[in-house]
Amino acid sequence: MPKTKTVYVCQNCGAESPKWIGRCPSCKEWNTYHEEIIASSSAHEINPILKRERRKPELLDEIKSDEHQRQKTGSPELDRILGGGMVAGSLILLGGEPGIGKSTLALQLALALKDRSILYVSGEESEEQISLRAKRLKSSNPQCYVYSETELENILVQADNLKPGLIVIDSIQTIRTGMLESSAGTVSQVRECAAQLLKFSKTTGIPVFLIGHITKDGTLAGPKVLEHIVDIVLYFEGDNNYIYRILRSVKNRFGSTSELGIFEMTESGLREVANPSAMFINQHDEPLSGISIAATVDGIRPFLIETQALVSSAVYGTPQRSSTGFDIRRLNMLLAVLEKRAGFRLGVKDVFLNIAGGIKVEDPAIDLAIISSVLSSNLDSPVGKDVCFSGEVGLSGEIRPVSRIEQRIREASKMGFSRIYISKYQKNLSFKGAEIEIISVGKVEALVKSLFK
Ligand code: TYD
Ligand code: MG
């Protein structure tokens, strides 16, 4: 019997050590080292497909590139995020929290691609469960094969026999290779399986879609190892209690990473949201205080989003601060600016903030809308339904310019707003022909004067 060799592997970053250590010297996480058994050196002979490979280096000039032969996925949103469609032989990772809709998105993709055969491998669900899901999606594809399997070697044999046009692996954490003795989902298994799938996809030209689970702290299990291996990393995010989902690309070897797609989860699967601005603004009949609309940009996509604030007298000594969809530290900073610059005694008030639709916004241009909502709720005076905001707030209360201002203004104008507040310091503003009034403000004090006089 060959002697088994063990190694300690960091479950966060994949670093290895011959002995157990408490804190990973590479990623500085505590208690992430687990013992994993690695197999004997003859392991490479187990895989029949990899063994067959005997390729030689080629001259760069002689390589025929089919870079422009992108394969459409049937979903315009997904095509855009991928940079215009799938590239042959690409390995795409789709990450997200459990229940967010990764399997649904992947199955919808498999059912939409009717011009080629698909191999949908699930290590989590049985064939019957996948069939039920397909019925729920009210779609079918006569060329879609489903295969409930967790052994990588079996999957590669079937993939080699079928030669499908696309392989979906749901999920990479449930697949294991016989080359390693550790259990599925460990860093070494995830890394080895992904590497073998990469090799398979590169040699056959078949695109492979990997689904990956995200751990509680928002990273993929074995995140750094996986992100390095694959060509494209997509994240599917959103709040499980809401229907909206954002598909974002964080790495793309064949396109830009600034694209994002917005979907809604319906009774029969995911549907693309063509006009997100209309979804994130609630229609109120009468003007309400504490609400204002921000013209934000995510990646390169502009959309308008509603921010809501509630300011009330603090019942207990320490005022409460709560924020959903916006960084609480930034909220505290904005409140401090309001206290200092606009004379509002917010230290004795509870402040609750909410971004509509369960969306997380990181665009600093939302600041102006947030302080407007807070002030509006504090004064119990609505800011008006026809006004929106786009500007960053600095520590001295100055309103700072933001990127892509023309796009934001155009979107606001398209959505029927008649006034938009922006920074006075916005340079090169070449926006003409607007049916929207642009109000430039330089300081928080000026905003307050203009809004609530
Ligand atoms: P799923 O794709 O299984 O999530 P993941 O693979 O990321 O874990 O999606 C699970 C959720 O989506 C589940 O709560 C039910 C919901 N859902 C719908 O609302 N409509 C549908 O048509 C489908 C298939 C699922
Ligand atoms: Mg799933």
Side-chain angles (χ1 to χ4, degrees), residues 272-288:
E272 295 177 7
V273 175
N275 185 1
S277 294
M279 313 297 293
F280 298 131
I281 302 176
N282 296 328
Q283 301 300 324
H284 311 288
D285 291 337
E286 49 197 83
L288 298 173

Side-chain angles (χ1 to χ4, degrees), residues 102-291:
K102 301 179 296 297
S103 305
T104 309
L105 184 74
L107 188 61
Q108 264 179 284
L109 169 71
L111 297 176
L113 285 171
K114 302 225 191 317
D115 57 344
R116 76 200 74 161
S117 60
I118 316 285
L119 177 61
Y120 187 104
V121 182
S122 181
E124 302 186 343
E125 291 164 307
S126 66
E127 283 92 350
E128 290 76 22
Q129 280 174 304
I130 303 169
S131 153
L132 277 176
R133 192 193 289 263
K135 289 209 178 70
R136 188 166 175 197
L137 297 174
K138 297 197 182 65
S139 175
S140 69
N141 183 352
Q143 294 204 75
C144 180
Y145 294 89
V146 292
Y147 187 38
S148 185
E149 178 59 62
T150 56
E151 291 294 320
L152 181 74
E153 283 69 26
N154 295 346
I155 295 167
L156 289 179
V157 168
Q158 295 303 332
D160 200 45
N161 288 343
L162 271 174
K163 300 243 165 13
L166 173 74
I167 301 174
V168 176
I169 308 280
D170 186 2
S171 64
I172 185 70
Q173 279 102 348
T174 55
I175 306 293
R176 69 180 299 280
T177 165
M179 283 169 57
L180 304 175
E181 287 183 28
S182 47
S183 54
T186 54
V187 169
S188 39
Q189 279 289 355
V190 166
R191 175 169 48 193
E192 191 57 41
C193 290
Q196 290 202 40
L197 286 163
L198 176 79
K199 196 156 189 198
F200 178 81
S201 112
K202 292 286 177 253
T203 46
T204 56
I206 303 173
V208 178
F209 229 89
L210 294 179
I211 292 179
H213 290 296
I214 278 183
T215 50
K216 272 183 232 83
D217 56 1
T219 49
L220 285 162
K224 297 198 181 80
V225 270
L226 263 187
E227 289 189 357
H228 283 155
I229 293 170
V230 301
D231 297 310
I232 298 177
V233 181
L234 305 178
Y235 275 101
F236 209 27
E237 51 185 56
D239 189 322
N240 263 335
N241 299 318
Y242 292 89
I243 57 171
Y244 302 110
R245 305 281 183 266
I246 292 183
L247 184 64
R248 196 188 291 284
S249 115
V250 294
K251 166 180 175 182
N252 191 347
R253 285 188 180 145
F254 316 113
S256 104
T257 51
S258 48
E259 290 285 359
L260 87 165
I262 299 172
F263 294 83
E264 55 178 332
M265 181 64 95
T266 69
E267 264 310 293
S268 52
L270 289 155
R271 205 168 52 210
E272 295 177 7
V273 175
N275 185 1
S277 294
M279 313 297 293
F280 298 131
I281 302 176
N282 296 328
Q283 301 300 324
H284 311 288
D285 291 337
E286 49 197 83
L288 298 173
S289 67
I291 290 181

Side-chain angles (χ1 to χ4, degrees), residues 417-436:
F417 284 85
S418 51
R419 286 182 295 153
I420 181 166
Y421 280 86
I422 65 167
S423 163
K424 192 165 98 180
Y425 309 107
Q426 199 78 49
K427 287 208 182 75
N428 308 327
L429 186 64
S430 59
F431 194 80
K432 287 192 196 73
E435 289 165 13
I436 183 165

Side-chain angles (χ1 to χ4, degrees), residues 72-80 105 109 112 263 272:
K72 294 283 175 219
T73 60
S75 153
E77 293 280 88
L78 190 55
D79 282 344
R80 217 161 29 76
L105 184 74
L109 169 71
F263 294 83
E272 295 177 7

